[in-house]
């Protein structure tokens, strides 16, 4: 079984995240969206909310699972028998950053491959950081948050 792990903070999930998962779906038997506990980031939204939003977004896709984890993504891959790490690229800065991480992961776990997907050009400006700023200023989030996420539901 081909399993890919798409790891991130998803604080909150964006249309960009959704785009990457949907692009990866045809290539994998299972995609695990893994919410990492990053000690360098202060999360704005609770883990429970983030899990719920991701589950809502991909409810019609049984191949997508959602988990949380701590530690290195390559260790999670080994634990889950996942041979692939899924990453999205918006621009050359993402490529530089993600390439370094992919090389480090390859040294730690040569059997695990990182697969990059290019963001849809219309979504290249979308990031969790941008979305959090829009939320802070009360902006309209249409086009930034997946409609199915249920972001506005209590």
């Amino acid at each position: 079984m081909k399993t890919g792990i798409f790891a991130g903070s998803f604080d909150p999930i964006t249309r960009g995240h959704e785009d990457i998962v949907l692009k990866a779906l045809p290539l994998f038997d299972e995609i695990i969206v893994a919410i990492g506990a990053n000690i360098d980031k202060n999360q704005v939204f609770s883990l429970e909310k983030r899990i719920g939003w991701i589950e809502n977004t991909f409810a019609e896709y049984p191949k997508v699972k959602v988990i949380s984890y701590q530690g290195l993504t390559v260790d999670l891959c080994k634990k889950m028998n996942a041979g692939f790490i899924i990453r999205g690229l918006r621009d050359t800065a993402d490529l530089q950053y993600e390439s370094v991480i992919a090389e480090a992961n390859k040294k730690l776990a040569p059997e695990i491959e990182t697969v990059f997907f290019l963001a849809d050009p219309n979504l290249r400006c979308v990031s969790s950081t941008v979305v959090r700023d829009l939320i802070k200023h009360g902006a309209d989030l249409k086009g930034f948050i997946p409609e199915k996420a249920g972001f506005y539901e209590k």
Side-chain angles (χ1 to χ4, degrees), residues 19-132:
D19 175 58
I20 298 304
V21 171
L22 294 177
K23 285 178 178 175
L25 266 174
L27 301 178
F28 296 97
D29 300 309
E30 177 180 56
I31 294 177
I32 300 169
V33 179
I35 303 171
N38 186 336
I39 59 171
D40 295 331
K41 288 187 176 181
N42 292 323
Q43 306 306 317
V44 173
F45 298 103
S46 72
L47 177 62
E48 294 75 22
K49 279 187 179 184
R50 290 181 283 152
I51 288 172
W53 292 332
I54 297 167
E55 287 176 342
N56 290 345
T57 299
F58 300 108
E60 66 186 74
Y61 301 97
K63 295 190 329 183
V64 179
K65 312 282 187 261
V66 184
I67 64 168
S68 64
Y69 76 105
Q70 292 185 334
L72 297 174
T73 303
V74 290
D75 291 339
L76 177 65
C77 287
K78 291 175 187 176
K79 178 181 171 188
M80 305 299 290
N81 293 319
F84 302 90
I85 297 172
I86 298 166
R87 301 302 298 161
L89 300 174
R90 290 173 296 206
D91 54 28
T92 56
D94 279 356
L95 176 60
Q96 279 187 306
Y97 175 78
E98 294 291 347
S99 293
V100 170
I101 293 173
E103 289 172 20
N105 286 338
K106 197 67 167 166
K107 285 189 185 299
L108 293 170
E111 71 279 11
I112 298 169
E113 198 62 53
T114 300
V115 181
F116 297 111
F117 291 89
L118 296 177
D120 183 288
N122 296 323
L123 299 174
R124 289 194 180 144
C125 69
V126 178
S127 70
S128 292
T129 302
V130 167
V131 171
R132 286 192 304 270

